[in-house]
Amino acid sequence: MTTALPISRPSSRPSDRATVSLPLQAEVESPYPFFSSQAEVESSHVPVFDIEDLWQATQGPTSIAELAAEQRMSNYQLLQHHMKLSSIMHAVMVFSLRTVKPLSYYFDTKGKNAFFKDLHSYPLLPGSDIDISIISARQQFLCRIVSAAVGTLPTPPAYLNKDDGAVAMETDKEKELLQSDLDAYQTMSDNKVVLEACKWADIMLELGQMLEVDVDTVRRHYCNELYSRGYDYLGQEVLNSVNERCQLGCDLLVLVGKRLSHLMSTAEPKRSVQLLSRLPPTLSTWLKQQSPSDVYFPDVPLLLTAQLLSQVVSLLPETHGQYSLAIQLVESIDIMRD
């Protein structure tokens, strides 16, 4: 497949050469340039290539510029349709996903029939009335890729030893140790693996827009995955872009509970019993019910968990059913830090 370059109208003077005008670069660089509407370029004039007399008698294959000019104009919507499929297949291969059938799961009959046609043709393409089951399958796939991308992140550093200091940061030495670990944690944001994982998550968010998926749901899933793996600073950046803040607050509230449950279960038994006895009975029962087994990295400093909890309180309205629980957790963290 050869795509013609947009070429300006040649000058009427024989001595002038045809000039090639490149499309303007998009304001936001896209991982897949064809996703940008600026990729759709039309030309109504066939360019004329003037050859110097010295090369008139030269024998050889046709130049690539002339071959490009002879190509028929591509159907941009059809080109974009194929780009969606290739992007899905690319993600499947990169993350070695199994049991994924892109044609069967993520495209309707119109979409399947439009594939592998001549790119200058105009077959019937899917409209906006896509079946809800296909939309749901697409959303699950995007979340699966986001989870796989975040799963490539390196394990955050071990901030504190699992002793009594993991619950109560009482000494200056422990605070200095925590600060040094947090500095190392922030430095990891520049790691190539971290940047690659974030790039793939951004690609899935952009692909979600093209696939008519609720991108905010995928973004919220991305935020939860980052916090679950201990990347609170990256999660904070994604949190600020989520629209459904109330639902995100509920998700993160559960994560806070699992972190605190893990924190008390790894403390000395005497210290753990002492903490539970100082908490309200309903909160103690709720914390015992929270299993941190599905949290990838629960060993997060109490300071970061306290910061996350303050974000949760700001996300939930005061009239929400979980708001009082969030306030009780704030008081419990204050008790743990005494």
Side-chain angles (χ1 to χ4, degrees):
M1 179 186 68
T2 307
T3 305
L5 289 174
I7 302 178
S8 63
R9 173 185 289 184
S11 172
S12 58
R13 294 180 298 175
S15 60
D16 290 345
R17 295 181 180 179
T19 58
V20 178
S21 59
L22 298 178
L24 296 176
Q25 184 178 4
E27 294 181 3
V28 179
E29 184 177 355
S30 168
Y32 293 113
F34 287 121
F35 284 177
S36 171
S37 61
Q38 296 188 18
E40 185 177 11
V41 181
E42 295 183 358
S43 175
S44 58
H45 302 282
V46 178
V48 176
F49 297 95
D50 294 316
I51 304 176
E52 297 182 6
D53 295 338
L54 180 63
W55 299 100
Q56 290 289 347
T58 302
Q59 300 294 327
T62 307
S63 68
I64 189 172
E66 292 178 294
L67 289 174
E70 294 173 359
Q71 299 298 311
R72 299 177 64 177
M73 182 62 60
S74 298
N75 177 2
Y76 172 67
Q77 283 72 28
L78 181 59
L79 184 65
Q80 191 179 52
H81 185 61
H82 282 79
M83 197 64 194
K84 297 174 187 176
L85 177 61
S86 63
S87 302
I88 292 174
M89 296 177 66
H90 184 199
V92 170
M93 290 186 293
V94 167
F95 296 103
S96 303
L97 299 186
R98 300 178 180 274
T99 66
V100 176
K101 300 178 180 179
L103 290 178
S104 301
Y105 294 168
Y106 312 131
F107 296 96
D108 56 11
T109 303
K110 292 180 182 178
K112 297 174 187 177
N113 294 335
F115 283 122
F116 316 119
K117 305 289 186 181
D118 290 333
L119 292 181
H120 59 263
S121 62
Y122 286 82
L124 189 62
L125 294 173
S128 57
D129 54 339
I130 304 175
D131 189 85
I132 188 64
S133 61
I134 295 179
I135 295 294
S136 178
R138 291 176 176 180
Q139 181 173 293
Q140 293 177 10
F141 170 78
L142 296 177
C143 290
R144 187 178 177 185
I145 293 296
V146 168
S147 298
V150 177
T152 63
L153 294 174
T155 303
Y159 303 101
L160 290 173
N161 295 326
K162 293 184 178 181
D163 54 13
D164 190 58
V167 175
M169 299 177 293
E170 298 173 350
T171 66
D172 293 337
K173 182 179 179 180
E174 288 168 349
K175 293 180 180 180
E176 292 175 0
L177 177 60
L178 174 61
Q179 186 58 50
S180 64
D181 285 331
L182 290 180
D183 293 340
Y185 174 54
Q186 289 174 310
T187 304
M188 293 181 67
S189 298
D190 297 329
N191 186 289
K192 290 184 179 180
V193 178
V194 175
L195 295 176
E196 183 69 14
C198 294
K199 185 197 76 172
W200 270 105
D202 291 339
I203 290 175
M204 291 302 103
L205 290 173
E206 187 173 3
L207 180 60
Q209 294 180 344
M210 306 302 299
L211 294 175
E212 306 293 336
V213 169
D214 182 9
V215 180
D216 196 62
T217 301
V218 182
R219 188 179 290 109
R220 191 173 70 245
H221 175 78
Y222 179 30
C223 183
N224 288 324
E225 286 289 304
L226 289 173
Y227 277 111
S228 179
R229 294 188 180 273
Y231 281 81
D232 289 34
Y233 290 102
L234 295 179
Q236 174 66 44
E237 297 177 3
V238 181
L239 183 148
N240 295 328
S241 61
V242 174
N243 294 326
E244 188 55 55
R245 302 176 70 80
C246 184
Q247 181 60 49
L248 179 61
C250 294
D251 296 340
L252 295 180
L253 182 65
V254 174
L255 178 60
V256 168
K258 293 180 178 181
R259 284 185 180 182
L260 297 180
S261 176
H262 173 78
L263 201 62
M264 290 187 294
S265 64
T266 54
E268 293 182 356
K270 181 178 179 181
R271 176 64 174 168
S272 179
V273 172
Q274 181 184 10
L275 289 172
L276 288 174
S277 64
R278 298 178 61 184
L279 299 179
T282 54
L283 182 59
S284 299
T285 303
W286 183 80
L287 287 175
K288 291 178 182 179
Q289 294 174 348
Q290 304 307 311
S291 174
S293 59
D294 57 346
V295 179
Y296 295 101
F297 190 81
D299 290 321
V300 178
L302 190 59
L303 175 61
L304 288 182
T305 302
Q307 293 175 353
L308 173 58
L309 185 55
S310 65
Q311 290 287 343
V312 171
V313 173
S314 65
L315 292 174
L316 296 176
E318 295 184 5
T319 56
H320 195 275
Q322 299 294 321
Y323 183 80
S324 59
L325 177 61
I327 296 300
Q328 289 182 348
L329 286 174
V330 171
E331 297 173 352
S332 69
I333 288 184
D334 291 337
I335 294 175
M336 294 179 184
R337 298 179 68 178
D338 287 341

